[in-house]
Amino acid sequence: MSQQPVPDHAESDAPNLDFDGTTPYEDYVQASVLTHLQHPLSDDPGEMVFLVTTQVMELWFTVIVHEWQTAAQALREDDLPTAMAALQRSAYELESLNASWTPLAHLTPGQFNAYRSALGEGSGFQSAMYRRLEFLLGEKSASMLVPHRGAPRVHAELEKALTEPSLYDEVLRHLARRGLAVPAEVLDRDPALRHEPDPGVERVWEEIYSGPRDSELIRLGEALTEVAELVWRWRNDHLVATRRAMGSKTGTGGSAGVAWLEKRAAKNVFPELWMARSHV
């Protein structure tokens, strides 16, 4: 009796490997584009890590901006569940963004100096997508459009983001439509201006947090607080990494370096949410 061949389960279970053109994965992810965007300008091998990490951060900025725009639109439509889902996703994404500092967090001055000159006048504060993220948080500043005058499409996108209500503006408008006493001057303010803490808004959050502990508005407040805390952690991690790598030297792009970052890290996002806690 002849022996029957044993089926090759490994082969029979293998995924389809034969495609006419590029793979469906490549068509969807565009991996070959992403993995050929790195063009180091020095001979130091550490520059590749810095470059890729920075590009990864830009991708996370893009995702988080998308989430906050989704949340803002949902709030305009008083669709709180959709807004909450987007805010909660953004918290996970902020955690991943913050983890991006890990490869750079322990750079010595010598290691950073090995390729720092390759940056020229380049600096993270010139990131258009990060600026859109800050605008959505209410950190508006028309002067931050100036670096992008040479890129008309980017400048137009930033100008639009500057003049639109921020995510926090939409939160406060939603609260007002639900009958809470958000001051009229806050609701009617020029959205192109930076949000400044308001005692009336602080009282609104105090009222919300003094109410039923399972309130959906408390859950909204906590989702925003989580976002605010993670943004603070991002700014603080940036500060610490910069302090380790370059001390108090002037930053790339002419900024004050650590002093500039210390000023940014000291600011609270959604400030009335934090101040109201002292009165509950």
Side-chain angles (χ1 to χ4, degrees), residues 154-176:
V154 172
H155 188 274
E157 290 173 349
L158 277 174
E159 191 169 43
K160 182 174 182 289
L162 177 73
T163 56
E164 289 179 338
S166 70
L167 170 62
Y168 196 46
D169 288 330
E170 297 295 357
V171 168
L172 298 179
R173 292 176 180 188
H174 175 74
L175 296 180

Side-chain angles (χ1 to χ4, degrees), residues 1 6 24 36 40 54 65 67 76 87 95 103-104 125 127 137 140 145 160 185 206 214 217 220 243 248 259 278-279:
M1 180 181 295
V6 178
H36 288 78
T54 304
V65 164
E67 299 287 22
R76 277 193 289 277
L87 289 171
E95 289 176 351
L104 307 180
F125 82 83
S127 165
L137 293 173
K140 302 289 187 76
L145 272 63
K160 182 174 182 289
E185 60 270 23
E206 180 184 347
D214 60 350
L217 291 184
L220 172 62
R243 183 179 284 154
S248 60
S278 300
H279 309 294

Side-chain angles (χ1 to χ4, degrees), residues 9-242:
H9 294 293
E11 288 297 325
S12 63
D13 292 345
N16 183 19
L17 302 176
D18 188 12
F19 303 100
D20 291 335
T22 56
T23 66
Y25 177 85
E26 172 61 33
D27 293 341
Y28 184 71
V29 177
Q30 306 261 327
S32 64
V33 175
L34 287 172
T35 55
H36 288 78
L37 292 175
Q38 295 74 42
H39 305 288
L41 299 178
S42 75
D43 295 328
D44 189 89
E47 187 190 352
M48 187 67 166
V49 180
F50 183 88
L51 184 54
V52 170
T53 300
T54 304
Q55 290 175 338
V56 167
M57 288 177 177
E58 285 289 332
L59 292 173
W60 281 124
F61 296 158
T62 303
V63 174
I64 293 164
V65 164
H66 168 74
E67 299 287 22
W68 292 350
Q69 287 175 329
T70 299
Q73 179 61 40
L75 287 163
R76 277 193 289 277
E77 298 168 359
D78 294 324
D79 180 358
L80 192 54
T82 297
M84 287 289 293
L87 289 171
Q88 288 163 350
R89 287 194 303 269
S90 79
Y92 302 136
E93 293 147 9
L94 280 161
E95 289 176 351
S96 295
L97 169 65
N98 292 355
S100 301
W101 282 115
T102 301
L104 307 180
H106 300 91
L107 284 174
T108 67
Q111 290 168 333
F112 185 46
N113 287 340
Y115 55 80
R116 186 186 179 196
S117 61
L119 277 68
E121 291 190 280
S123 173
F125 82 83
Q126 299 161 8
S127 165
M129 194 57 71
Y130 183 71
R131 193 56 47 205
R132 288 174 66 180
L133 184 151
E134 289 268 306
F135 284 178
L136 277 163
L137 293 173
E139 288 288 334
K140 302 289 187 76
S141 174
S143 65
M144 289 301 181
L145 272 63
V146 173
H148 307 284
R149 288 177 299 185
R153 179 182 62 81
V154 172
H155 188 274
E157 290 173 349
L158 277 174
E159 191 169 43
K160 182 174 182 289
L162 177 73
T163 56
E164 289 179 338
S166 70
L167 170 62
Y168 196 46
D169 288 330
E170 297 295 357
V171 168
L172 298 179
R173 292 176 180 188
H174 175 74
L175 296 180
R177 288 192 296 273
R178 294 183 67 143
L180 289 150
V182 180
E185 60 270 23
V186 173
L187 297 172
D188 299 335
R189 73 181 192 86
D190 181 354
L193 299 178
R194 178 182 286 108
H195 175 82
E196 299 295 344
D198 183 273
V201 173
E202 184 179 340
R203 287 192 292 272
V204 166
W205 284 116
E206 180 184 347
E207 178 183 347
I208 290 170
Y209 274 87
S210 298
R213 286 183 291 177
D214 60 350
S215 160
E216 64 180 1
L217 291 184
I218 287 183
R219 290 197 294 273
L220 172 62
E222 287 301 279
L224 292 167
T225 302
E226 183 75 6
V227 164
E229 180 179 333
L230 288 165
V231 170
W232 176 83
R233 291 183 185 280
W234 156 264
R235 292 173 176 171
N236 196 63
D237 287 352
H238 188 182
L239 167 63
V240 173
T242 303

